Amino acid sequence: MGGDWRELKKARTRARIQQEALRLFGEQGYEATTVARIAAAAGVSHTTFFRYFPTKEDVVLGDEYDPLLEEALRRRPESEDLIERVRNAVGEGLAAVYAADRDALLARVRLVLSAPPLRARLWEQLLGTQALLERALAGTGDSAEAPMRVRVVAAACLAVLTTAITAWERDGGRGDLPAIVDEAFDHLRTELR
Amino acid sequence: MGGDWRELKKARTRARIQQEALRLFGEQGYEATTVARIAAAAGVSHTTFFRYFPTKEDVVLGDEYDPLLEEALRRRPESEDLIERVRNAVGEGLAAVYAADRDALLARVRLVLSAPPLRARLWEQLLGTQALLERALAGTGDSAEAPMRVRVVAAACLAVLTTAITAWERDGGRGDLPAIVDEAFDHLRTELR
DNA sequence: CTCCGCGATGTTAGTCGCTAACATGTTAGC
DNA sequence: GCTAACATGTTAGCGACTAACATCGCGGAG
């Protein structure tokens, strides 16, 4: 039956660590929660923690949305201009995540925005997302070849997106996120005239 | 004669630490250079280092440009639209720094973009700059009161600026930075049509 | 069924950024 | 000169993270 049992056990350990970590972060805050404390709560040693998550930040920030975005971008017709393509692809992907996961998403956004180290890592991740956008919009395999206008558009769109998400979180998550993102893109467009 | 001698000595120590740090960063890279090593090179202990610079990152990243930008923004006439105001204020401040300091500026940008912890801190600083932009553009004393369109514009403008600077650095600093920034703003405008 | 091997885990010790407590020497103002 | 303030050094410690090595347990080969 191969290593199935091992894989399952590893997956469970991983999930347990993440779950305990998120619980503790919620209770005492990100920075006040030590890795050793998380490991103890999950019943493992701190070295095991680092075997599952390369850094403390990685427990919170998974890169799971990039493939979604890439796929959504690929489905956009060439007839749309650059910004419209990003706007629709983002809206599409976001709507899915939002519908399925709303509360979890809000909790994660809250956590990330509240802890400077997490914010910092998020920007770093966004660099990756930006490179993805540039490749997709320029149609090249290497984002270094993307022309300046594509880079500007990619950066501006991500700025709009993060602004919208931040506004949503500051409002306590009461508004409808996809609508807020859409309005933010509208603001950019109407302001440029 | 007051504490003049003390002040002078402190200023010299501070300058020596920073100078040795930048030299070592250039020679061996940011992350490979330990604070203890810098302190030793400057002839002080590592605690003294931290008395002058709260973190290792602060040796590289000083917040000296924000007041310049604020002043330049204040001088913009109300007749200009939001983006034009930011564009001109940024262009003005940048031109000054660029003319005076070009090589030093390039070296700093290179260093910051090459080291993840420095990049991370830079984003964090940009949040402050963004709040400043929002206050200035909205005319309120608190950036939390700025309307959504102002926030979107502020975020998008900073994204354009960082994109331009990044492009300048990637090109080895050969191009004319103020011109590149201007072109980047043009790209944003022409792309939104 | 037994034994061997490999993979997951724990233990320990170490590095590096950073902080706090306390001791020491140096300067400033009288 | 004397003393109070202050810059600096020493030491010890915390927390994120890494590496070396021992151990334990399950899976498969004989």
Side-chain angles (χ1 to χ4, degrees):
Chain A
M1 210 58 29
D4 279 5
W5 170 246
R6 271 177 146 114
E7 292 306 314
L8 191 72
K9 219 178 142 183
K10 276 175 66 170
R12 274 213 283 252
T13 304
R14 189 188 155 87
R16 212 173 55 239
I17 292 174
Q18 188 168 40
Q19 180 184 325
E20 291 299 311
L22 292 178
R23 184 177 61 78
L24 289 167
F25 292 160
E27 288 175 13
Q28 351 172 323
Y30 177 80
E31 302 181 282
T33 305
T34 164
V35 169
R37 181 81 187 74
I38 300 169
V44 298
S45 71
H46 77 280
T47 55
T48 296
F49 174 96
F50 285 111
R51 278 194 254 266
Y52 282 91
F53 299 94
T55 76
K56 189 181 169 187
E57 294 139 22
D58 284 293
V59 182
V60 180
L61 295 165
D63 246 354
E64 62 237 29
Y65 301 139
D66 271 16
L68 236 81
L69 178 59
E70 193 167 14
E71 193 40 42
L73 270 169
R74 218 189 301 281
R75 274 196 298 270
R76 287 288 115 201
E78 302 266 341
S79 60
E80 295 178 339
D81 67 41
L82 294 183
I83 295 184
E84 216 52 36
R85 254 188 275 175
V86 177
R87 175 198 183 133
N88 290 327
V90 164
E92 192 179 310
L94 190 66
V97 174
Y98 186 76
D101 254 8
R102 205 206 115 118
D103 289 356
L105 181 65
L106 178 57
R108 259 178 58 163
V109 169
R110 237 200 273 275
L111 186 55
V112 170
L113 293 186
S114 72
L118 290 177
R119 278 199 306 256
R121 263 299 291 269
L122 181 64
W123 300 130
E124 207 67 14
Q125 264 187 224
L126 280 182
L127 282 185
T129 304
Q130 186 170 341
L132 184 157
L133 273 182
E134 290 167 0
R135 283 195 306 270
L137 294 180
T140 67
D142 183 1
S143 75
E145 293 168 15
M148 192 65 176
R149 42 181 278 275
V150 167
R151 283 191 212 166
V152 169
V153 167
C157 286
L158 285 180
V160 169
L161 177 62
T162 57
T163 301
I165 295 179
T166 302
W168 176 61
E169 190 272 340
R170 277 201 212 155
D171 186 46
R174 272 180 288 277
D176 184 61
L177 181 54
I180 295 177
V181 171
D182 238 49
E183 287 163 25
F185 274 100
D186 282 341
H187 280 307
L188 181 64
R189 187 142 258 163
T190 60
E191 211 57 43
L192 278 177
R193 189 128 325 207
Chain B
M1 209 58 30
D4 278 6
W5 173 244
R6 272 187 147 118
E7 292 306 314
L8 191 74
K9 223 178 136 178
K10 275 174 65 170
R12 274 214 283 252
T13 304
R14 191 189 153 87
R16 212 174 55 240
I17 293 174
Q18 189 168 39
Q19 180 184 326
E20 291 300 311
L22 292 178
R23 184 177 62 79
L24 289 167
F25 291 160
E27 288 176 13
Q28 350 173 319
Y30 177 80
E31 301 181 283
T33 305
T34 153
V35 168
R37 181 82 187 74
I38 299 170
V44 297
S45 70
H46 76 280
T47 55
T48 296
F49 175 96
F50 284 112
R51 277 194 256 266
Y52 283 91
F53 298 94
T55 76
K56 188 183 170 186
E57 293 139 23
D58 284 293
V59 182
V60 181
L61 295 165
D63 246 353
E64 62 238 26
Y65 301 138
D66 271 16
L68 237 81
L69 179 60
E70 193 167 15
E71 194 38 43
L73 271 169
R74 219 189 300 281
R75 275 197 297 271
R76 288 287 115 201
E78 301 268 342
S79 59
E80 295 178 341
D81 68 39
L82 295 182
I83 294 183
E84 216 52 36
R85 255 188 275 177
V86 177
R87 174 197 184 135
N88 290 327
V90 164
E92 191 180 312
L94 191 65
V97 174
Y98 184 75
D101 255 8
R102 206 207 114 119
D103 289 356
L105 182 64
L106 178 58
R108 260 178 58 164
V109 169
R110 236 199 275 274
L111 186 56
V112 170
L113 293 186
S114 72
L118 290 177
R119 279 200 304 257
R121 262 300 289 270
L122 181 65
W123 300 131
E124 207 67 15
Q125 265 187 222
L126 280 182
L127 281 185
T129 304
Q130 186 170 343
L132 183 158
L133 272 183
E134 290 167 359
R135 283 194 305 270
L137 294 180
T140 67
D142 183 0
S143 75
E145 293 168 12
M148 191 66 176
R149 42 180 278 276
V150 167
R151 283 192 212 166
V152 168
V153 167
C157 285
L158 285 181
V160 168
L161 177 61
T162 58
T163 301
I165 295 179
T166 302
W168 176 61
E169 190 272 340
R170 276 200 212 156
D171 186 46
R174 273 180 288 277
D176 184 63
L177 181 55
I180 296 177
V181 172
D182 239 48
E183 288 163 26
F185 274 100
D186 282 340
H187 279 309
L188 181 63
R189 188 142 258 161
T190 59
E191 210 58 44
L192 278 178
R193 190 126 328 204

